[in-house]
Amino acid sequence: MAYEWDTFRHLFKRLEIPAKTTLLAEGKISRTMYFIEKGCLRTWVNNNGREITTQFFFEGDKVASIESFKTNQPSLYSIESLEPCILQTITQKDFENLFQHSPEIREEMQEHLFRRLIQSQKRFFSFLKNTPQQRYQELIQEHPEIIRRVPQHYIASYLGITSVSLSRIRNRR
Amino acid sequence: MAYEWDTFRHLFKRLEIPAKTTLLAEGKISRTMYFIEKGCLRTWVNNNGREITTQFFFEGDKVASIESFKTNQPSLYSIESLEPCILQTITQKDFENLFQHSPEIREEMQEHLFRRLIQSQKRFFSFLKNTPQQRYQELIQEHPEIIRRVPQHYIASYLGITSVSLSRIRNRR
DNA sequence: TTCATTTCTTAACAATTGTTATCGTTCAAC
DNA sequence: GTTGAACGATAACAATTGTTAAGAAATGAA
């Protein structure tokens, strides 16, 4: 966890979970923020019974349905573990308190939000500009850790295609 | 323009431009923010010589390559008028000043950024979940003004397809 | 009005993806 | 070790989209 957060260690609770554990279900309101110490999470949306993975998270990442966490609106997506995980958790209430009393953390969260906007935009542009095949090659270049650690059918939906199509792309040439 | 801004009217300059005027070129640094009084703008990215429209803006919207405006990095996209426009403009310098001296506007800009993140996310989810045909129908439902005012080939690239394909979708059934 | 540009439609063909189903492999739990 | 679930590859076919090209329709400027 980053420097500024260390002062508030006492507000965090350690949580150990097995793989495939749901931390937040789509439609529920996010009341907890998670910091990944070890393991890997994903966010996903339900589309007519099919799961579409929207993001992967690894060690050092902080994860919450920020929109829900901040506004108390139902979350647009679920959060789930892909591997056994060790997490540090903080409640919405404690976080709000911390947020009010630490300008540094407030500042950091704004930066975080801004980075997410840019990230989200880049990923979106990749969908507008590139074919699934190009997006897959881009993913290999920029996030090889995802290829290594995550089962392919999750990656397929993350790329906006079926697992069959991803298998074809991988074995093309 | 919204309430809080009225106090700073003197910092704005009125600008009248014809259609197809470039306000910011991709790769340049954004030094001006635009408020649309009348008319309509679009942002677009160059992809191997083909233009892909990423967003449309209408009366009441404020437009800048915020990422570039805020961080002095080259803009990822261009900004261009689709119709003759009347704009109110403010320079990066004046805006920074205003930003420093008005907590209300600082607050409003953070809200604005947050809304953009959510908006961007929703649009992105639509790409993951829906077919081009579904996205087009969604657009008709949620932004009929775009269908009315904007030429179809711009809308096609906005939906992530070619103008030929959009024409087919429109005349299907 | 006239002319040129822009915009939209349609056609034909190639390429890609989705869908459904089958099969082999791997992995974890018992 | 055995069993069942999860995972990935492949095949066959349907559906959709991209590409290129040609022409009709609408628009705007002189």
Side-chain angles (χ1 to χ4, degrees):
Chain A
M1 227 177 291
Y3 168 74
E4 311 86 59
W5 300 85
D6 255 357
T7 328
F8 305 98
R9 268 214 171 276
H10 62 283
L11 294 177
F12 288 85
K13 252 174 50 189
R14 183 187 151 100
L15 176 64
E16 211 156 331
I17 54 169
K20 304 218 180 192
T21 305
T22 297
L23 295 171
L24 172 68
E26 184 177 337
K28 302 285 180 186
I29 296 168
S30 174
R31 303 279 185 213
T32 312
M33 186 174 280
Y34 302 94
F35 290 68
I36 305 180
E37 211 171 285
K38 181 86 193 78
C40 145
L41 303 177
R42 67 162 182 144
T43 53
W44 61 276
V45 295
N46 182 316
N47 191 37
N48 300 72
R50 308 220 159 169
E51 300 186 0
I52 302 176
T53 297
T54 56
Q55 199 100 26
F56 299 106
F57 300 90
F58 299 93
E59 285 81 3
D61 289 338
K62 41 178 171 288
V63 186
S65 176
I66 305 196
E67 316 76 20
S68 174
F69 194 82
K70 232 187 120 171
T71 64
N72 286 314
Q73 297 289 315
S75 172
L76 295 173
Y77 48 84
S78 300
I79 303 177
E80 191 190 277
S81 61
L82 286 174
E83 306 174 355
C85 290
I86 301 171
L87 308 170
Q88 294 291 336
T89 75
I90 183 170
T91 66
Q92 190 183 32
K93 213 167 103 189
D94 283 342
F95 184 81
E96 228 151 73
N97 220 294
L98 188 157
F99 193 81
Q100 293 304 326
H101 290 80
S102 165
E104 291 82 17
I105 284 183
R106 199 158 56 240
E107 184 68 29
E108 205 210 278
M109 283 307 289
Q110 274 150 24
E111 293 280 321
H112 176 68
L113 224 61
F114 188 65
R115 273 196 307 274
R116 273 203 50 181
L117 175 65
I118 291 178
Q119 211 184 312
S120 157
Q121 202 160 69
K122 281 198 176 157
R123 191 153 132 66
F124 180 47
F125 280 12
S126 172
F127 266 78
L128 284 172
K129 286 179 160 182
N130 302 326
T131 63
Q133 178 159 354
Q134 289 169 320
R135 283 201 295 281
Y136 177 65
Q137 278 152 358
E138 195 178 66
L139 188 66
I140 293 176
Q141 288 292 321
E142 295 183 18
H143 298 287
E145 75 278 14
I146 293 182
I147 310 282
R148 273 199 310 274
R149 284 174 75 168
V150 178
Q152 266 181 53
H153 62 284
Y154 295 121
I155 297 176
S157 73
Y158 177 78
L159 292 173
I161 55 178
T162 62
S163 61
V164 176
S165 191
L166 177 55
S167 178
R168 275 193 290 235
I169 287 172
R170 279 167 45 85
N171 295 91
R172 192 178 291 166
R173 263 194 10 83
Chain B
M1 226 175 291
Y3 168 74
E4 311 85 58
W5 300 84
D6 255 357
T7 329
F8 306 97
R9 268 214 170 278
H10 62 284
L11 294 178
F12 288 85
K13 253 172 54 186
R14 183 187 151 100
L15 176 66
E16 212 156 330
I17 53 169
K20 304 216 178 193
T21 305
T22 296
L23 294 171
L24 173 68
E26 185 178 335
K28 302 284 180 186
I29 296 168
S30 175
R31 303 277 185 213
T32 313
M33 185 174 282
Y34 303 94
F35 289 69
I36 306 179
E37 210 172 286
K38 182 88 193 75
C40 145
L41 303 177
R42 68 163 182 143
T43 53
W44 62 275
V45 294
N46 182 315
N47 190 35
N48 299 72
R50 308 219 158 169
E51 299 185 0
I52 301 176
T53 297
T54 57
Q55 198 100 27
F56 299 107
F57 300 91
F58 299 95
E59 285 82 4
D61 290 338
K62 42 178 171 285
V63 186
S65 176
I66 305 196
E67 315 76 21
S68 173
F69 193 82
K70 232 187 118 170
T71 63
N72 285 316
Q73 297 290 315
S75 173
L76 295 172
Y77 47 84
S78 299
I79 303 178
E80 189 190 278
S81 60
L82 286 173
E83 305 173 356
C85 291
I86 302 171
L87 307 170
Q88 295 291 337
T89 74
I90 184 170
T91 66
Q92 191 182 32
K93 212 166 107 189
D94 282 343
F95 185 81
E96 227 151 75
N97 220 291
L98 189 157
F99 192 81
Q100 293 303 327
H101 290 80
S102 166
E104 292 81 15
I105 283 183
R106 200 158 55 238
E107 185 68 29
E108 205 210 277
M109 282 308 288
Q110 272 149 24
E111 293 280 320
H112 176 68
L113 224 62
F114 188 65
R115 274 197 306 276
R116 274 203 51 182
L117 175 66
I118 291 178
Q119 211 183 313
S120 157
Q121 201 160 69
K122 280 197 176 158
R123 190 152 134 66
F124 180 48
F125 281 11
S126 172
F127 266 78
L128 283 172
K129 286 178 160 182
N130 302 325
T131 63
Q133 177 160 354
Q134 289 170 320
R135 282 201 295 280
Y136 178 64
Q137 278 152 358
E138 195 178 66
L139 188 66
I140 293 175
Q141 288 291 321
E142 296 183 17
H143 298 287
E145 76 277 13
I146 293 181
I147 310 283
R148 273 199 311 275
R149 284 174 75 169
V150 178
Q152 267 182 51
H153 63 283
Y154 294 122
I155 296 176
S157 72
Y158 177 77
L159 292 173
I161 55 179
T162 62
S163 62
V164 176
S165 191
L166 177 55
S167 178
R168 275 193 289 235
I169 287 173
R170 279 166 47 84
N171 296 90
R172 193 177 293 167
R173 265 196 9 84

